[in-house]
Amino acid sequence: MTIREQTEELEKKTLSPLAKLSRDAVREFPLEPCAIRPAFQRDRDRILHCKAFRRLKHKTQVFLSPEGDHYRTRLTHTLEVSQIARTVSRALRLNEDLTEAIALGHDLGHTPYGHAGEAALNECCPHGYRHAAQSVRVVRVLERDGAGLNLTTDVLDGIACHTAGAAAGTLEGRVVRYCDKIAYLNHDFEDAARAGLIGEADVPWEIKYTVGRSKSERIESFVTSLISASADDIRMAPDVQRAFDALKAFMFEAVYHNPVAKGEEGKAKEMLQGLYRYFVGSPDKLPEEYRRIAGAEDVDRAVCDYISGMSDRYAVTVYENIFVPRSWGV
């Protein structure tokens, strides 16, 4: 037996009957199996080494271009989601490799400037824009010069279903969906507290009473509840779920809709929509790979792909090169 086959046999013996086994994975296009890595581990590696994953380190999580080294970026958010989700999956004896692959890939389609960028593209692109769908497009169509990463269907499903709408077809995908929210609600609270927007004293007492008075206590409470209450599906105990929903409502009111935290978002939206209009009107100015997409699909699709893949600072650089006059030099 190869190392991969030994690992697959171990999965069959040790994982929950509800876990997705690597040996049952289906890939979009046939691919010779690896002698060492099962299918989901191979997907994890493909995501980890792709260009879109590296760009996450320069994409906004909540605070736009914050001054300070300790605020989260889209990359650090992704890593925190992965770690929390792996903890839950391991405790439930689900497939940790599948969970990790979904977690690492779930935000690859996020725009520069976070949800402000997503809203900007959704308003001006006739195709609409959802970062979950774009994340799937990144790994299926855009990576590797248009060849895609050829991931398994279960990883694609988990990425596509990590936000609203239908739940993922696997419990591993549903774990990531919960843990994405656990991660961002708690680390965004910490970032907002560092910025002086809120503090622990502002957290409603019903939340503190049920799940704790610090970030680490809350994460532990949510994770523990997911592990203890989940059976045929992924869920929290009712009282913890109510506290979770209350924390989410508190964060939207105090942080995500806070005019101080979001004061620059209008400028970000105008910048991205200005870039969108420019490239739709001048598709010949697009990089070659996106001109190919414009020819094969349409210009709006190509421009949306190009802008959504930009990092925050690259979007500023492109905008300045196009719209900001340069100093005269002799």
Side-chain angles (χ1 to χ4, degrees), residues 24-39:
D24 297 330
V26 176
R27 208 169 284 281
E28 282 203 285
F29 306 104
L31 184 66
E32 187 69 23
C34 177
I36 299 175
R37 299 166 298 165

Side-chain angles (χ1 to χ4, degrees), residues 111-182:
T111 59
Y113 295 105
H115 290 285
E118 184 171 19
L121 292 184
N122 190 52
E123 289 173 8
C124 60
C125 180
H127 300 292
Y129 189 88
R130 290 179 55 250
H131 78 268
Q134 187 68 16
S135 295
V136 174
R137 181 170 171 83
V138 166
V139 297
R140 289 190 69 240
V141 178
L142 301 181
E143 278 291 332
R144 294 174 59 199
D145 298 322
L149 300 182
N150 190 19
L151 303 182
T152 58
T153 55
D154 291 310
V155 172
L156 294 174
D157 173 68
I159 292 172
C161 298
H162 81 268
T163 54
T170 63
L171 293 187
E172 290 85 354
R174 299 178 191 188
V175 165
V176 172
R177 183 167 174 166
Y178 248 116
C179 292
D180 179 32
K181 296 179 177 64
I182 291 173

Side-chain angles (χ1 to χ4, degrees), residues 39 115 117 156 196-197 222 267 309:
H115 290 285
L156 294 174
L197 295 179
F222 293 143
K267 297 177 184 178

Side-chain angles (χ1 to χ4, degrees), residues 11 44 49 55 57 69 100 103 116 119 132-133 148 150 159 171 182 200 216 236 275 296 300 312 314 325:
E11 284 184 358
R44 188 264 327 264
H49 292 285
R55 290 197 298 269
K57 68 179 179 179
D69 295 332
E100 185 176 22
N150 190 19
I159 292 172
L171 293 187
I182 291 173
E200 286 292 343
S216 58
M236 291 179 181
L275 287 174
D300 288 287
D312 294 11
Y314 182 69

Side-chain angles (χ1 to χ4, degrees), residues 77-97:
H77 160 72
T78 295
L79 296 177
E80 292 185 34
V81 173
S82 175
Q83 193 61 38
I84 297 171
R86 286 179 59 196
T87 297
V88 174
S89 281
R90 182 179 296 182
L92 294 174
R93 292 192 297 119
L94 299 176
N95 194 313
E96 204 171 331
D97 289 336

